Amino acid sequence: MAAVAAVSLSACGLQSGGAVPLSVGPAAIQPVPSLKGVSLTVGSKDFTESITLGYIAELALSAAGANIRDLTNIQGSNSARVALTSGQIDMYFDYTGTGWINYLGHTKPIPTQQGQYEAVKKEDLKKNSIVWTDLTTVNNTYALALNKKNAAKLGVNTLSDYAALVQKNPAAAKTCVETEFASRPDGFPGMAKAYGFSSTQAQTQILATGAIYQSTANGSCTFGEVFTTDGRVKGLDLSVLKDDTSFFPIYDAALNIRESVATKYPAIATVLEPIVKKLTTETMTQLNAEVDVDGHEQADVARDWLVEEGFVTNPNA
C-alpha cells in the first residue's frame, strides 16, 4: 500500500511543486528572524477548503520570511497524509475526525470537539510524530443533501428517514458520492451500518465533487454527499439531512506539522496562532462560497481574507 501511495504521489507531480502564486507584505504578521530564508513545503488535499487553507498558511509564512514551496491540491486524504509522513511536505491542514478514524484506525468518534482534538493530538504524536497545532473551529463534516422539491416530495429530513427509504424503495434513493466517501469507514459504508441498512441496497453513483452538487440541485441525483462548510449547499439551496444518531465525527481543521519541523521551527505555530483563532465554520463557509459559487481563485480568496483581517498586505493593490 505504501509503495502504491508513493507511486501515486510521484505521478501527481509532488517531486517538483512550485512557488506561492501570489506575493504578500507584512502587516500584523512581521518578519520572524528564525524563519528568514527557511525552506518549507506546504501541502493540501484536492478540494476547495483544503486548498484555501493551504494558501492561507503559505501566504502567512511568506510574510514571516520563509521560502515556501507550494504543493497544494494533492489527490485524496491518504495521499496527502503519506506526503506528510514521508517528508514530501512539511505541513498541511487536516481534520480531527479523519485523523481519529482514517489514520489512527478507531471506529467510534469522540463526541466533544476538545476531547476529539486532544485524543488525536496525543496519539498521532506518539505513534507517527505528527504535531497537531492549535485547533480552528472549522467543523467540516460529511452530510447527505437533496433539493427542496425532493425533500418536500419524499418527506426525508434525517438520515434515519433516508435509511427507511433505502430499505423500502431503493430506486427512490439514488445517491451520488465521491470515490473516497464510498469506501471510508467514516463514509457511506459506516453510515449505512450505523443506520441499519446495507450499503449494497442503496443505488449509488460515483461522481466528482462539483458534479455531485449540481446533480443534486437539478435532481439527477436524489441525494448527494456534501461537505457542511461548502458554499454550494446554500448557493444551490440544498436541504441537509440531520445526522440524528450523530454517526459522523467532528471534523475540526488543524495544521499538521512533522514533529522534526515543528520542534526546529516553533515560530510556525506562533505565526499561525492568531489566524487559526479567526477561522470559524461561518468564515470558512463564506470563503468556500467565494470560490465555488462566485468563481474566484483559492489563492486570491486566501490573500484577500488575510488582508481584510490585517495579517498581511497586498503589495500590488
Side-chain angles (χ1 to χ4, degrees):
M1 183 174 178
V4 170
V7 171
S8 175
L9 292 174
S10 178
C12 290
L14 297 195
Q15 303 301 325
S16 54
V20 182
L22 300 174
S23 60
V24 294
I29 297 175
Q30 290 289 310
V32 177
S34 64
L35 292 178
K36 183 178 179 180
V38 171
S39 295
L40 297 171
T41 302
V42 180
S44 82
K45 302 181 190 182
D46 58 347
F47 57 93
T48 292
E49 179 170 298
S50 185
I51 296 169
T52 302
L53 287 170
Y55 282 133
I56 286 173
E58 290 183 1
L59 294 167
L61 293 170
S62 293
N67 290 330
I68 301 298
R69 178 173 169 242
D70 172 29
L71 273 178
T72 51
N73 201 18
I74 301 169
Q75 187 175 7
S77 294
N78 289 337
S79 293
R81 173 71 170 191
V82 171
L84 181 69
T85 56
S86 67
Q88 292 183 292
I89 62 175
D90 296 312
M91 68 195 81
Y92 79 120
F93 277 90
D94 213 326
Y95 299 86
T96 53
T98 302
W100 187 246
I101 304 294
N102 265 45
Y103 308 148
L104 295 174
H106 298 280
T107 56
K108 293 184 178 180
I110 294 174
T112 65
Q113 178 189 62
Q114 194 63 28
Q116 183 72 92
Y117 168 66
E118 294 295 344
V120 74
K121 177 181 178 180
K122 180 179 179 180
E123 188 170 331
D124 214 11
L125 179 61
K126 181 179 180 180
K127 289 184 175 180
N128 303 306
S129 299
I130 301 299
V131 173
W132 289 69
T133 64
D134 295 320
L135 190 65
T136 71
T137 55
V138 177
N139 180 18
N140 184 7
T141 192
Y142 284 120
L144 292 186
L146 69 171
N147 66 28
K148 294 292 173 59
K149 180 180 178 180
N150 280 328
K153 175 184 175 182
L154 297 170
V156 175
N157 300 299
T158 68
L159 288 178
S160 290
D161 295 337
Y162 169 80
L165 180 65
V166 169
Q167 292 172 316
K168 180 181 179 181
N169 186 6
K174 181 181 177 182
T175 307
C176 293
V177 298
E178 297 175 297
T179 302
E180 188 170 316
F181 183 74
S183 59
R184 282 172 60 140
D186 54 344
F188 197 82
M191 182 194 76
K193 183 178 180 181
Y195 279 92
F197 67 95
S198 169
S199 58
T200 58
Q201 286 180 281
Q203 293 191 6
T204 57
Q205 181 179 355
I206 304 296
L207 292 178
T209 304
I212 291 174
Y213 285 87
Q214 193 57 53
S215 296
T216 304
N218 66 29
S220 299
C221 303
T222 308
F223 298 91
E225 166 216 344
V226 299
F227 298 111
T228 53
T229 59
D230 196 301
R232 287 168 290 192
V233 172
K234 182 178 181 180
L236 294 170
D237 198 25
L238 300 179
S239 294
V240 176
L241 300 185
K242 182 180 179 182
D243 180 13
D244 49 314
T245 68
S246 300
F247 163 72
F248 290 116
I250 296 168
Y251 294 89
D252 284 328
L255 188 71
N256 286 197
I257 312 176
R258 289 189 293 115
E259 184 181 17
S260 59
V261 175
T263 301
K264 189 174 183 179
Y265 303 111
I268 294 172
T270 303
V271 167
L272 291 172
E273 181 181 6
I275 294 173
V276 163
K277 289 179 179 179
K278 292 275 189 177
L279 288 170
T280 65
T281 295
E282 293 74 18
T283 296
M284 203 69 237
T285 301
Q286 178 57 41
L287 297 182
N288 291 336
E290 290 178 25
V291 177
D292 292 323
V293 178
D294 300 334
H296 300 299
E297 294 292 332
Q298 290 100 332
D300 292 323
V301 169
R303 182 183 63 182
D304 291 348
W305 180 75
L306 288 169
V307 170
E308 289 168 8
E309 294 294 331
F311 291 115
V312 303
T313 57
N314 180 355
N316 300 316

